[in-house]
Amino acid sequence: MRKRILYSILAVAFTSIILVATIGMVVLYGNLNNQFWNTLRAETKLVAAGLESNNYEYLYRLVGPDHRITVVKEDGMVEYDSWNNAADMEYHGNRPEVVAARRYGEGESSRHSATMGETSVYCARLLSDGRVVRLSSTYDDKMSLLLIHNSEPT
């Protein structure tokens, strides 16, 4: 009888530890997801401010290896891209984040690439001249990938 009680207590304790650890991980990754989106939004505002003042030198210095900056003209064609030759790029006017930026002033979206095994997240902002600036970054950490891919930005 004593062994049975001891085993029951150990089972409850073990289950409680696993449950608390799981909840803690979910909360932590949720907070990291929010922090990631907030940082991308803030960086997009900085890039937009630089473009509004026609300070392209500022834009070129701001670009880092982890972020991609794309400027989409009013006609939906790419004017500038920090990773690719803009002339070789396809029409971007129908991208969800660009459509939302044109409609609401800013827009966000995420897309998973099964080929690349990563999720790209996008934050776009409408400029006063009708162009849209878009910043993007990727998540390749598998748990973070699941959280971003399955959640809406807040």
Side-chain angles (χ1 to χ4, degrees), residues 11-136:
V12 168
F14 181 73
T15 303
S16 298
I17 290 170
I18 296 299
L19 184 63
V20 167
T22 302
I23 291 170
M25 285 177 47
V26 168
V27 168
L28 176 65
Y29 278 114
N31 287 339
L32 289 174
N33 182 35
N34 287 337
Q35 181 181 1
F36 180 84
W37 278 105
N38 288 336
T39 300
L40 193 61
R41 284 184 199 111
E43 290 171 347
T44 303
K45 287 180 184 177
L46 289 172
V47 171
L51 286 171
E52 290 286 4
S53 65
N54 289 322
N55 190 349
Y56 284 89
E57 187 176 316
Y58 168 82
L59 175 67
Y60 298 134
R61 282 189 305 213
L62 195 63
V63 176
D66 297 333
H67 291 78
R68 178 179 180 184
I69 298 174
T70 306
V71 178
V72 181
K73 297 186 288 187
E74 283 186 272
D75 65 2
M77 298 307 294
V78 176
E79 176 181 306
Y80 169 79
D81 188 87
S82 61
W83 288 7
N84 296 305
N85 182 356
D88 297 335
M89 295 185 69
E90 61 189 35
Y91 180 77
H92 274 52
N94 58 355
R95 304 289 168 99
E97 65 279 0
V98 173
V99 171
R102 291 200 190 287
R103 185 173 295 145
Y104 305 112
E106 55 187 39
E108 300 169 349
S109 70
S110 63
R111 291 187 281 286
H112 180 70
S113 168
T115 307
M116 300 296 288
E118 60 189 17
T119 295
S120 294
V121 293
Y122 303 92
C123 188
R125 192 170 194 82
L126 181 65
L127 301 175
S128 62
D129 62 5
R131 295 177 300 161
V132 172
V133 62
R134 179 185 79 167
L135 259 69
S136 65

Side-chain angles (χ1 to χ4, degrees), residues 29 112 116-118 139-147:
Y29 278 114
H112 180 70
M116 300 296 288
E118 60 189 17
Y139 256 105
D140 47 59
D141 172 62
K142 298 308 176 201
M143 181 60 115
S144 297
L145 175 113
L146 291 172
L147 284 168

